[in-house]
Amino acid sequence: MQTNTQTTEFTPTLVADIAPKIQSLKNTFSSGSTKALAWRIEQLQQIKKMVLEQQDNIFTAMQKDLGRCDMESWTAELGGVVSEVDHSIKHLKKWMKPRKVSTPIIAQPGKSYILPEPLGTILIIGAWNYPLLLVLSPLVAAVSAGNCALIKPSELSANMSKLVAKMVSLYLDNDAIDVVEGAVKETTELLKHQFDHIIYTGGEVVGKIVMRAAAEFLTPVTLELGGKSPCIVDSSTDLDVTAARIVWSKWMNAGQTCVAPDYVLVEKSFAPQLIDAIKNKIAEFYGADVVTSKDYGRIVSERHCSRIIKYLEDQNVVFGGTHDLANKYIEPTIVLDPSSDSPLMQEEIFGPILPIITMDNISQAIPYVNAREKPLALYLFSKNSSFEQQVLTSTSAGMVCINDGFMFAANPNLPFGGVGSSGTGAYHGKIGFDNFSHLKTVMKRSFWFDVPLRYPPFTSKKFKLLKKLI
Ligand code: NAD
């Protein structure tokens, strides 16, 4: 049986040590050492080496923090970091090159290009649900772009926080990459300092605190937030594959995934078939008695566990519903037609409860989604291509996957990020590189052929000619 009741003594970084750490990173950036391609490649290789060599320690920490099985930790976190590193190493030289653009006639003879340059020191504030990926994936992007970075892992995944600090000290260039461990007090101290970019992953409330603090220094932010991600299931879909993919994406990490389907929208007449198919897949994946499955995770803390259990009050539970607070266990649970104003439908669930909302016609799903905040992800299962187009063009979401769960996260060519209240900015692959770079405008003019047209004294003849050129 999985448990995550083993806790670790959490030792935050001393507040007095935070300012010197930041200053040291800034001094390193000023030295220019992180700009070299060789330094970037070496650090990326070291990140990969660190993850592979420390795999067993990482698995143990994940098990303690989230009751996660090793394969799920590999698929969702370690594998993601390794493929981000490989992708960056493969393309980095090209990303760093000046990007030539055309030059208008008014600026001829001349050349124009965009020169990516590192921003400086990046603050990476991570969340507990994917405690390795959410700090190392931004780190890959920050290092690829030639920056220094300060990582603040989440205190809720205390075992991983401790391990991240240890691994970074053992494997990476500590003059350029450092860790501050801590909770609210330490993060508040961090936010009093000037960084060149802050990437924050977590909830909306703290996202606003981060953005406010960043505004003091006009520091750009990337906010990787959450929200209620809808999953629209049209009756034309392949029922068996749809059920498997919904169960995989909803109950991975016991539902504690920012891009997990938060709720399902389905036609009334098709709902019983879909619910049966989902129940069967849960049994197939986790066994008849899920609590004994080694593949099903636990809730990160008692506070979060109580929060999720509370969502079940006065609801029509049609599957599951059992829980064990002491072991932070909640069974995969399906709730049918909760009211829109219940906390279950007002807040991001971020746990293993799947509400199924039925409607007379699936086209009603579009106004349902549009009446709410823009979600981080939107899922559509359908074989009807005109409905697919309708959903794509009539709704807004950070990311969309048609006929699967969050598989887009596995493609480094796609930006990962939200829109509106689900986040701002994005990373992964080249988009991450660009996010942590300043795309510097450069124009080089020739001294030859200096057209006097734009210089005073201005005449009506010059003005006429100029209007033709601009
Ligand atoms: P959390 O509790 O780990 O908090 C996130 C970070 O904020 C931590 O490092 C924490 O120390 C810091 N923090 C907490 N309170 C603070 C305060 N008052 N001032 C400054 N810093 C503070 O994580 P959480 O907020 O429970 O995360 C869950 C949310 O994150 C969900 O909404 C989920 O959807 C979202 N999320 C988004 C992504 C994404 O990539 N978009 C990924 C994972 C989680």
Side-chain angles (χ1 to χ4, degrees):
M1 189 194 290
Q2 302 285 83
T3 52
N4 63 329
T5 48
Q6 303 172 54
T7 49
T8 193
E9 200 60 37
F10 184 70
T11 319
T13 304
L14 291 176
V15 167
D17 290 344
I18 290 177
K21 273 176 180 277
I22 298 169
Q23 193 51 52
S24 163
L25 296 175
K26 288 184 174 182
N27 293 345
T28 304
F29 185 74
S30 300
S31 78
S33 62
T34 64
K35 290 184 180 174
L37 173 67
W39 180 86
R40 303 185 199 196
I41 298 281
E42 193 205 346
Q43 292 309 301
L44 291 171
Q45 286 166 338
Q46 283 298 109
I47 293 173
K48 181 171 173 179
K49 189 174 178 214
M50 170 173 98
V51 167
L52 296 178
E53 284 186 0
Q54 293 292 320
Q55 175 174 306
D56 290 343
N57 290 331
I58 295 170
F59 286 155
T60 306
M62 302 266 183
Q63 169 65 39
K64 287 182 182 172
D65 287 332
L66 291 154
R68 260 228 221 109
C69 68
D70 298 351
M71 188 170 148
E72 198 172 278
S73 290
W74 175 270
T75 319
E77 304 214 43
L78 291 84
V81 174
V82 170
S83 60
E84 277 280 327
V85 167
D86 289 343
H87 183 79
S88 285
I89 290 177
K90 189 171 166 198
H91 298 284
L92 188 52
K93 217 170 162 182
K94 196 169 149 213
W95 295 344
M96 287 171 67
K97 278 193 178 146
R99 302 171 194 178
K100 279 186 197 150
V101 295
S102 63
T103 303
I105 193 152
I106 191 79
Q108 294 287 357
K111 281 182 189 154
S112 307
Y113 56 95
I114 296 161
L115 189 64
E117 65 176 20
L119 291 172
T121 299
I122 314 290
L123 174 61
I124 300 170
I125 305 176
W128 51 265
N129 60 329
Y130 290 97
L132 184 79
L133 183 78
L134 297 177
V135 293
L136 290 194
S137 187
L139 181 68
V140 169
V143 164
S144 298
N147 296 288
C148 290
L150 185 57
I151 300 169
K152 211 300 286 174
S154 175
E155 70 284 10
L156 287 191
S157 41
N159 291 283
M160 268 312 302
S161 173
K162 195 175 174 182
L163 184 58
V164 164
K166 189 175 161 199
M167 292 191 305
V168 167
S169 75
L170 288 176
Y171 286 84
L172 303 182
D173 174 0
N174 296 148
D175 292 334
I177 303 163
D178 205 348
V179 176
V180 163
E181 285 193 87
V184 177
K185 185 169 123 194
E186 293 74 21
T187 318
T188 305
E189 175 60 26
L190 279 169
L191 291 172
K192 288 179 189 159
H193 295 266
Q194 182 167 12
F195 290 89
D196 298 290
H197 193 109
I198 300 174
I199 175 163
Y200 162 81
T201 304
E204 205 180 304
V205 174
V206 177
K208 288 179 186 171
I209 295 175
V210 171
M211 203 166 181
R212 252 181 242 123
E216 276 305 308
F217 301 103
L218 298 175
T219 298
V221 289
T222 302
L223 300 177
E224 294 285 341
L225 310 177
K228 289 182 87 63
S229 297
C231 175
I232 305 171
V233 183
D234 168 32
S235 56
S236 69
T237 197
D238 179 318
L239 185 61
D240 192 59
V241 179
T242 300
R245 291 175 181 178
I246 290 177
V247 173
W248 172 77
S249 50
K250 177 68 189 187
W251 283 287
M252 177 189 285
N253 204 24
Q256 301 164 107
T257 303
C258 56
V259 282
D262 189 273
Y263 60 92
V264 166
L265 299 172
V266 64
E267 269 178 19
K268 252 188 193 73
S269 55
F270 189 57
Q273 280 166 268
L274 181 66
I275 293 171
D276 277 349
I278 292 176
K279 284 180 190 172
N280 291 339
K281 284 295 166 197
I282 293 171
E284 193 182 316
F285 291 180
Y286 301 114
D289 194 12
V290 181
V291 73
T292 61
S293 168
K294 63 175 179 34
D295 298 330
Y296 185 71
R298 296 295 181 268
I299 307 303
V300 69
S301 67
E302 277 197 20
R303 183 174 66 83
H304 276 285
C305 200
S306 310
R307 171 185 67 79
I308 300 163
I309 292 168
K310 229 172 170 308
Y311 288 141
L312 294 175
E313 278 172 15
D314 305 321
Q315 295 292 1
N316 178 17
V317 174
V318 294
F319 181 79
T322 66
H323 42 80
D324 172 2
L325 186 60
N327 285 307
K328 295 176 242 173
Y329 168 77
I330 302 176
E331 188 182 4
T333 297
I334 301 174
V335 169
L336 186 60
D337 282 326
S339 85
S340 289
D341 52 12
S342 62
L344 183 68
M345 289 312 294
Q346 288 292 316
E347 293 161 20
E348 179 183 357
I349 299 167
F350 217 51
I353 305 173
L354 183 66
I356 299 210
I357 318 288
T358 63
M359 37 200 46
D360 294 330
N361 190 300
I362 199 63
S363 62
Q364 291 167 271
I366 293 172
Y368 189 97
V369 169
N370 288 340
R372 286 155 180 81
E373 294 288 354
K374 292 179 182 179
L376 184 57
L378 182 146
Y379 302 101
L380 169 66
F381 289 89
S382 175
K383 285 186 189 167
N384 178 340
S385 51
S386 74
F387 184 55
E388 176 187 316
Q389 278 313 306
Q390 216 186 324
V391 171
L392 275 178
T393 54
S394 316
T395 62
S396 178
M399 297 163 281
V400 173
C401 194
I402 299 152
N403 298 335
D404 208 334
F406 41 81
M407 285 303 289
F408 46 68
N411 184 352
N413 297 310
L414 290 171
F416 189 95
V419 56
S421 68
S422 58
T424 179
Y427 67 119
H428 284 194
K430 179 171 178 289
I431 286 118
F433 174 92
D434 284 355
N435 192 31
F436 294 127
S437 299
H438 167 57
L439 300 180
K440 185 159 69 182
T441 285
V442 182
M443 179 182 274
K444 184 174 178 186
R445 295 295 320 278
S446 165
F447 288 120
W448 177 73
F449 194 52
D450 189 34
V451 185
L453 192 62
R454 65 188 152 130
Y455 303 137
F458 300 129
T459 63
S460 58
K461 199 174 154 201
K462 275 186 178 179
F463 193 24
K464 249 190 209 162
L465 202 56
L466 200 75
K467 272 179 163 176
K468 282 190 181 145
L469 292 174
I470 303 177

